């Protein structure tokens, strides 16, 4: 995908003028995997759009544990960046490439100017925003209401829809995704293996009984069950 | 506070035309306390602004437990409503008045039209948005990384800054605020009382040793400590 495909497919320009400005001002940049593109406290100079690849936005807690807020895939922009640029606030999280990625960087003033001048750009940014707010609320619900074993089951099922039953995930990957400790993930995965839901090997997890794993997803917190730390 | 005070103080109109339209189109409505003003799945007809009073936006989990996403106080609008109106998505939570409240209701089409036509309105909505996103991320961090005893301590300290050391709160109030079970809140509060941090009586909680309570706020999750359900 190049800039003009990105523009037509996702932003849907409402004028030739905007189309021209988008191609002129949006700078393409390749970023290798596992590179931090924004840190907590940064004053942002650009609004980043993902053409190819994947960016993870996350927080680190006091004990060094991480929790993923959301991922930004092809066609999407980082809504937390939009919010920071529009309000002149520093970036409140970390953003890191998960894969080799191709980004379009729209300079701060251009981003704001387009919000004022182009309805198509406003609508694009608001669409992103609404979808993302929904995803963030789902995260809050899961973290607050679901037991950790249910959250791990839900995460594995979601990943297997994209990648098939054999998932190239380490226990540490899952811990970082869900904001828990690796020991907790290992304990729960071993329990799942013992029950015959999945098979563990070095650097991969194979789902053996998707139906039983799916049933585990429905476990909500109950008072007296302390399975969440 | 009336509509024109609200407008000048918070929205800061950029034209007489906008000022006139705001006063013409924004309908004032009194809502008594504990009234649901939007439910999950609602198609919203208005963007609500709070002139006086307080609105709580929250989610209910499968077990019936609630978690507060944020409060909307005087001068603020509901950003989740803005996002739904702009994206034509249904409302994904519940909004309920905590106190007798006075709202300004801006009809859906007027709200969208102003976003296109008035920079002052766009900036007002974006300011709300950025502040709110920050608050929601803080909620995710607290839910994911802090132990429930630390979250209760933090909540009591925050409330006492507004209302003094004697807080008119029930255990159920705190449970609804933090997304946990009342039994869990009662157990932790009794533990705090035993340690001399506070004194419990019917329908109120008095903070006796704020310094010790504050120290409790720093407890993060550690693997093997299951104090969160």
């Amino acid at each position: 995908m190049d800039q003009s495909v990105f523009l037509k497919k996702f932003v849907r320009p409402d004028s030739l003028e905007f189309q021209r400005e988008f191609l002129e001002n949006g700078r393409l940049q390749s970023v290798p995997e596992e590179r931090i593109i924004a840190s907590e406290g940064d004053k942002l100079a650009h609004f980043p759009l993902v053409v190819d690849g994947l960016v993870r936005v996350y927080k680190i807690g006091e004990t060094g544990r991480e929790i993923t807020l959301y991922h930004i895939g092809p066609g999407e922009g980082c809504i937390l960046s939009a919010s920071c640029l529009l309000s002149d606030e520093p970036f409140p999280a970390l953003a890191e490439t998960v894969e080799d990625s191709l980004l379009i960087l729209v300079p701060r003033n251009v981003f704001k100017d387009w919000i004022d001048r182009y309805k198509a750009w406003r609508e694009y940014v608001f669409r992103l925003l609404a979808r993302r707010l929904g995803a963030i609320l789902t995260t809050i619900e899961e973290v607050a209401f679901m037991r950790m074993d249910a959250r791990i089951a839900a995460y594995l099922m979601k990943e297997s829809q994209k990648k098939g039953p054999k998932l190239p995930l380490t226990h540490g990957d899952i811990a970082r995704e869900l904001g828990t400790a690796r020991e907790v993930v290992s304990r729960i995965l071993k329990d799942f293996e013992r029950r015959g839901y999945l098979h563990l090997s070095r650097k991969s997890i194979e789902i053996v009984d998707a139906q039983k794993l799916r049933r585990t997803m429905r476990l909500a917190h109950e008072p007296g069950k302390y399975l969440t730390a």
Side-chain angles (χ1 to χ4, degrees), chain A:
Chain A
M1 185 156 56
D2 69 0
Q3 270 162 300
S4 68
V5 174
F6 182 99
L7 179 71
K8 290 208 174 116
K9 191 163 167 197
F10 298 108
V11 186
R12 305 171 207 156
D14 46 0
S15 70
L16 280 172
E17 193 189 353
F18 177 36
Q19 205 162 324
R20 189 180 49 75
E21 285 192 36
F22 187 88
L23 298 176
E24 268 176 27
N25 288 286
R27 187 162 57 82
L28 273 177
Q29 181 158 339
S30 292
V31 184
E33 64 172 351
E34 296 185 14
R35 190 71 58 90
I36 302 270
I37 57 173
S39 297
E40 200 149 346
D42 281 1
K43 275 281 185 185
L44 302 181
H46 300 95
F47 178 64
L49 296 158
V50 176
V51 179
D52 279 314
L54 195 64
V55 173
R56 182 169 80 101
V57 179
Y58 63 103
K59 283 277 220 181
I60 297 188
E62 277 178 40
T63 52
R65 285 199 346 233
E66 299 177 6
I67 185 165
T68 300
L69 301 174
Y70 53 85
H71 286 95
I72 313 168
E76 297 183 321
C78 176
I79 205 62
L80 209 47
S81 304
S83 154
C84 292
L85 290 171
L86 290 164
S87 64
D88 291 312
E89 294 289 329
F91 195 68
L94 288 107
E96 184 177 353
T97 50
V98 177
E99 308 167 356
D100 293 345
S101 298
L102 182 64
L103 308 180
I104 298 175
L105 301 178
V106 177
R108 164 196 192 84
N109 290 334
V110 173
F111 171 81
K112 290 170 102 165
D113 180 49
W114 289 350
I115 291 280
D116 287 338
R117 285 166 56 219
Y118 298 122
K119 190 178 166 76
W121 183 245
R122 281 199 292 279
E123 288 185 344
Y124 171 72
V125 172
F126 279 128
R127 272 197 307 276
L128 284 178
L129 175 74
R131 205 184 314 148
R132 195 55 71 205
L133 255 184
I136 291 179
L137 295 185
T138 304
T139 300
I140 293 190
E141 266 190 293
E142 287 177 359
V143 173
F145 296 135
M146 281 169 80
R147 282 166 43 176
M148 190 47 79
D149 48 355
R151 291 177 59 207
I152 291 176
Y155 177 66
L156 294 176
M157 288 308 299
K158 196 182 73 180
E159 287 297 296
S160 74
Q161 275 166 13
K162 288 181 280 185
K163 296 174 187 161
K166 192 160 187 178
L167 300 166
L169 291 169
T170 68
H171 300 192
D173 292 335
I174 300 174
R176 274 190 295 282
E177 193 64 25
L178 301 180
T180 188
R182 210 175 51 153
E183 299 89 311
V184 174
V185 173
S186 294
R187 178 167 52 79
I188 291 170
L189 286 177
K190 272 175 202 141
D191 185 50
F192 284 171
E193 186 174 48
R194 198 178 49 76
R195 291 162 190 260
Y197 302 174
L198 40 80
H199 176 67
L200 302 173
S201 56
R202 238 174 60 84
K203 293 194 176 181
S204 90
I205 296 167
E206 189 169 9
I207 296 175
V208 179
D209 191 333
Q211 205 176 356
K212 282 195 184 143
L213 197 58
R214 203 188 310 275
R215 215 172 288 151
T216 309
M217 287 165 51
R218 283 196 286 271
L219 295 173
H221 284 317
E222 288 159 48
K225 303 244 172 185
Y226 304 122
L227 255 172
T228 51

